[in-house]
Amino acid sequence: MKTYKVDLDYEASLFDPRYDEGSAASLKVIREFEYVFFLINQEACHLKNIKQYDDNYLKHLKSLGFSIPSFAPDEKAFTYWWSHRHERELEKELNSKLTSVEIAKERGWGFWQGKIAESVEDVLSHLKTHPNIKHWIIKRPHSFSGIGHYYFSADQVNVETLKKILVEKVLLEPVYQRVFDIGTTFIIHNGEIKRQFMVENFNSQSGGFKGGAGASNVDKFKKYIQEKYHFSLNELEKITLEIARVYLNKGALFNVQIDSFVYQEEGRLKLYPLVEVNYRKTMGLVIQSLADKYSEAHHVEWKVLSSKEVTNEMDSWIKVSPEGNHFRSFYKAFLNCPT
């Protein structure tokens, strides 16, 4: 049987020149979310675990139908699980936001009023080109979950702050009035698409991941979104397939997830098809794994909350995170349309 290691620090290993696999920062994020392995994986295997798990917690997950591996924390030979490590330079290209925004701009799938900025002068010049846009965001090309995003107003530009940020190429874009976020995953084996699924991602205002909702198939999920937001995902379903094929042509061999959102402008809902692409596993796999377990449900929701955010409402939800975690997670299957 294979032994896996949950490498949630994968993107740091690709892009952070100071990356250290054994650093406190890497171990912290893995200890916090290593358990997602139990929620997704169905293969009989060993896990080179970083965190120790209470027997009662593991029995709880087994009772819910999840597969628990045998543990091998000291194993030296293992396969990384979160990532697709097969060609480092290609992986850096496919995971970079610079790649996705260039594709979006070229194909008309997003980044319409955005700019890849390399200097303060680039930023100031671009703001003058769009005098009617008041609120902007700068994203670092290798950030994730909203970490490192910088929001500012066009009439309150802090040049010194921009100088500190612009030590590399960054993405400058207007702030949209986002209504909901969608992650579309393509399960790919040896360069062939085997499955497409879509989930709604619950994100904080700063882009931090807070969980999501999914259904057992794409048609049921599109119905969930139509009923909840009165918006059709038919166009997005087709566009994301085109995006996936672009990434296949670039050399993708395994899973890709495409992030999109729907925003409000002048009282209308509009589609922003391509924000970024993740060439690795994502939390969308957790949401879909839960949805697959409840095929009879209208939809399933998974919430990830800090300990301070947990309220009595969660008493009716099923907890799946270990005791002692700062972030607690719960899921619930819904039989009817959300209100």
Side-chain angles (χ1 to χ4, degrees):
M1 291 192 296
K2 279 188 175 181
T3 298
Y4 290 106
K5 181 180 186 293
V6 180
D7 52 324
L8 293 166
D9 56 347
Y10 168 61
E11 282 179 301
S13 77
L14 282 181
F15 299 116
D16 186 349
R18 300 165 296 177
Y19 172 73
D20 174 3
E21 188 167 0
S23 70
S26 289
L27 296 178
K28 180 180 179 180
V29 68
I30 295 172
R31 285 195 184 98
E32 191 68 37
F33 290 106
E34 184 181 58
Y35 72 91
V36 300
F37 182 87
F38 309 140
L39 308 183
I40 299 171
N41 180 69
Q42 298 178 6
E43 176 185 350
C45 62
H46 307 292
L47 177 65
K48 180 179 172 63
N49 55 307
I50 303 298
K51 185 181 177 73
Q52 299 298 313
Y53 297 94
D54 179 79
D55 284 343
N56 289 331
Y57 169 68
L58 298 176
K59 288 177 183 177
H60 167 64
L61 292 186
K62 283 183 180 179
S63 72
L64 296 171
F66 296 107
S67 177
I68 305 302
S70 58
F71 296 100
D74 299 320
E75 181 61 58
K76 303 299 182 186
F78 56 85
T79 299
Y80 289 108
W81 179 73
W82 191 248
S83 58
H84 305 313
R85 305 186 191 212
H86 60 98
E87 188 178 336
R88 183 175 175 81
E89 290 307 309
L90 175 63
E91 292 164 47
K92 289 172 72 173
E93 178 188 358
L94 298 185
N95 279 296
S96 173
K97 291 180 178 64
L98 294 174
T99 301
S100 57
V101 299
E102 286 167 355
I103 293 169
K105 194 84 169 177
E106 177 186 341
R107 302 295 186 97
W109 291 331
F111 211 62
W112 303 295
Q113 296 166 309
K115 181 176 181 59
I116 298 173
E118 299 186 56
S119 66
V120 173
E121 289 71 25
D122 279 350
V123 173
L124 298 179
S125 174
H126 193 68
L127 298 188
K128 289 179 182 178
T129 306
H130 299 281
N132 295 327
I133 300 175
K134 303 303 180 185
H135 302 289
W136 294 85
I137 181 173
I138 288 177
K139 302 177 186 176
R140 292 174 172 84
H142 312 127
S143 63
F144 65 96
S145 197
I147 298 172
H149 289 181
Y150 175 62
Y151 294 84
F152 68 99
S153 297
D155 58 357
Q156 294 180 332
V157 177
N158 187 319
V159 172
E160 292 306 313
T161 299
L162 292 181
K163 285 180 181 178
K164 293 176 183 177
I165 294 171
L166 285 152
V167 294
E168 60 178 338
K169 291 181 180 180
V170 299
L171 313 179
L172 172 66
E173 195 170 18
V175 174
Y176 290 87
Q177 189 177 345
R178 293 164 83 134
V179 178
F180 63 94
D181 297 80
I182 299 291
T184 304
T185 295
F186 289 87
I187 305 295
I188 298 170
H189 292 292
N190 298 321
E192 291 188 11
I193 295 172
K194 300 297 184 182
R195 184 186 184 188
Q196 176 184 12
F197 66 79
M198 308 173 93
V199 301
E200 179 185 5
N201 288 319
F202 301 154
N203 294 323
S204 67
Q205 287 188 337
S206 63
F209 182 74
K210 306 292 291 183
S216 56
N217 59 62
V218 170
D219 286 340
K220 185 182 282 190
F221 179 76
K222 289 194 298 181
K223 181 181 178 183
Y224 155 79
I225 291 294
Q226 180 69 55
E227 292 173 343
K228 184 176 181 181
Y229 297 108
H230 309 292
F231 188 87
S232 171
L233 292 180
N234 289 341
E235 182 185 7
L236 181 62
E237 182 183 14
K238 295 175 183 176
I239 292 174
T240 51
L241 180 57
E242 292 184 56
I243 296 168
R245 286 172 175 156
V246 170
Y247 275 74
L248 285 172
N249 290 335
K250 283 184 168 292
L253 298 177
F254 306 101
N255 291 17
V256 295
Q257 179 188 282
I258 298 148
D259 286 344
S260 316
F261 65 81
V262 170
Y263 64 100
Q264 189 171 52
E265 185 177 80
E266 298 177 348
R268 295 178 55 207
L269 295 183
K270 297 183 179 182
L271 177 64
Y272 191 115
L274 176 53
V275 180
E276 63 181 77
V277 173
N278 295 304
Y279 182 55
R280 54 167 170 77
K281 288 184 174 68
T282 69
M283 295 300 184
L285 288 167
V286 175
I287 300 166
Q288 193 59 43
S289 175
L290 296 173
D292 289 343
K293 283 184 177 296
Y294 295 88
S295 59
E296 75 286 356
H298 181 275
H299 73 284
V300 170
E301 293 187 16
W302 179 50
K303 290 191 177 181
V304 179
L305 307 171
S306 71
S307 55
K308 294 180 180 179
E309 295 174 311
V310 177
T311 65
N312 293 337
E313 177 195 353
M314 292 297 104
D315 291 346
S316 64
W317 292 53
I318 299 173
K319 186 179 178 183
V320 286
S321 56
E323 291 299 322
N325 279 28
H326 173 68
F327 290 98
R328 321 285 170 82
S329 80
F330 310 79
Y331 77 87
K332 187 173 185 177
F334 293 81
L335 297 179
N336 301 307
C337 170
T339 56

